[in-house]
């Protein structure tokens, strides 16, 4: 089967992702050529910065979906969100009201890059007990888990799915982010890898990230991180 992208900003005009429909079309076409047959659009849900309404998100999704059908694209476009761990998320998750992936128990969440939420490991466990699957976006960015705190990644990977950014593997987001993304893949702690594309330019770095996984870890790792495990995550399962 093709690849599944669990993290992208391909819906126009909602956040810091693509600006217009023609850019959405160009980017989804590039992702299809890279081997993706399923792309999850994950617009930001972040108080004070990017908080598009449900109505706006649904309208943008319908617009892109209609344009894909008009172009006879076979790409499957799913809808999720990139929830920021803020007061809105803390209000939503106990009521299971945070936006999840289409029809799924899994949802994407990001945290502050410098300061991890207090007792995040415990909260992730509480979320799991509700039958939900927290999926942590770009874990390689969070300095609270770097270097001597690396064991925190191991603890988190037992309760939430870890989805690294492909571009980070190619150094697109900085050196320590690259080092930790690579280490998460090499040590088997990354469950999946995603593009996190915001623009056409981001697709190049994502392609380089796929090439790095293939060269360093082989074809089986590419299939596991981009096909098999993302499909499990969309089924609400935490991959081994
Ligand atoms: Fe993102």
């Amino acid at each position: 089967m093709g690849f599944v992208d669990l993290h992208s900003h391909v819906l126009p005009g909602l956040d810091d992702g693509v600006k217009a429909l023609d850019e959405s079309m160009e980017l989804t076409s590039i992702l299809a050529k890279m081997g993706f047959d399923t792309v999850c659009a994950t617009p930001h849900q972040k108080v004070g910065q990017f908080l598009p309404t449900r109505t706006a998100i649904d309208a943008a999704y319908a617009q892109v979906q209609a344009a894909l059908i008009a172009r006879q694209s076979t790409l499957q476009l799913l809808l999720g969100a990139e929830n920021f761990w803020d007061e809105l998320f803390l209000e939503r998750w106990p009521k299971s009201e945070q936006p999840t992936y289409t029809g799924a128990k899994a949802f994407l969440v990001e945290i502050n890059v410098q300061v991890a939420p207090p007792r995040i490991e415990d909260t992730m466990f509480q979320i799991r007990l509700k039958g939900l699957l927290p999926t942590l976006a770009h874990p390689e960015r969070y300095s609270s888990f770097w270097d001597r705190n690396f064991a925190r990644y191991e603890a988190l990977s037992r309760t939430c799915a870890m989805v690294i950014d492909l571009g980070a593997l190619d150094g697109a987001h900085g050196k320590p982010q690259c080092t930790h993304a690579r280490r998460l893949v090499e040590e088997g702690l990354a469950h999946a890898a995603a593009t996190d594309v915001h623009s056409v330019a981001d697709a190049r770095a994502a392609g380089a990230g796929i090439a790095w996984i293939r060269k360093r870890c082989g074809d089986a790792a590419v299939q596991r991180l981009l096909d098999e495990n993302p499909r499990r995550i969309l089924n609400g399962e935490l991959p081994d």
Side-chain angles (χ1 to χ4, degrees):
M1 294 179 88
F3 300 154
V4 176
D5 194 359
L6 290 174
H7 185 174
S8 75
H9 299 268
V10 296
L11 299 185
L14 296 176
D15 56 14
D16 55 347
V18 304
K19 301 283 177 276
L21 182 62
D22 57 349
E23 197 185 354
S24 296
M25 289 299 98
E26 187 183 357
L27 188 47
T28 49
S29 155
I30 291 169
L31 292 175
K33 285 188 191 125
M34 287 167 66
F36 290 93
D37 67 22
T38 304
V39 171
C40 302
T42 52
H44 286 288
Q45 286 285 286
K46 186 175 184 182
V47 172
Q49 197 172 10
F50 304 112
L51 196 56
T53 62
R54 183 80 256 166
T55 307
I57 293 168
D58 288 346
Y61 175 76
Q63 186 189 26
V64 174
Q65 185 75 285
L68 287 170
I69 291 167
R71 290 174 190 219
Q72 298 185 319
S73 168
T74 56
L75 194 76
Q76 189 184 21
L77 184 69
L78 301 179
L79 187 56
E82 183 173 13
N83 298 279
F84 191 82
W85 193 294
D86 57 18
E87 63 270 32
L88 179 61
F89 174 73
L90 292 175
E91 190 185 304
R92 281 174 165 174
W93 83 256
K95 297 183 270 182
S96 301
E97 286 177 354
Q98 76 282 25
T100 60
Y101 288 109
T102 311
K105 292 190 176 301
F107 66 90
L108 190 66
V109 64
E110 64 169 334
I111 63 172
N112 184 289
V113 293
Q114 279 152 356
V115 185
R119 300 177 304 283
I120 181 174
E121 293 88 345
D122 293 343
T123 310
M124 289 292 196
F125 185 69
Q126 295 301 319
I127 294 171
R128 283 291 280 157
L129 290 179
K130 288 183 76 70
L132 295 161
L133 177 63
T135 302
L136 188 61
H138 34 65
E140 70 280 358
R141 286 192 198 176
Y142 308 130
S143 59
S144 306
F145 309 142
W146 289 352
D147 303 321
R148 68 180 199 283
N149 294 315
F150 197 84
R152 294 189 74 187
Y153 281 128
E154 291 163 14
L156 279 170
S157 73
R158 288 193 282 274
T159 49
C160 63
M162 310 258 269
V163 183
I164 59 154
D165 275 4
L166 285 162
L169 293 171
D170 190 50
H173 307 141
K175 194 158 189 304
Q177 291 82 355
C178 178
T179 302
H180 288 86
R182 290 181 174 190
R183 194 172 162 194
L184 288 167
V185 170
E186 288 165 342
E187 298 197 16
L189 295 172
H191 295 101
T195 68
D196 194 7
V197 281
H198 288 67
S199 67
V200 168
D202 289 344
R204 192 213 60 78
I210 296 173
W212 182 88
I213 298 171
R214 184 168 278 119
K215 190 171 173 206
R216 182 79 179 84
C217 308
D219 287 341
V222 173
Q223 289 310 313
R224 190 172 62 251
L225 294 168
L226 285 155
D227 173 4
E228 297 157 11
N229 284 356
R231 291 180 200 280
R232 287 200 184 105
I233 291 167
L234 288 180
N235 279 333
E237 294 167 37
L238 181 62
D240 293 337

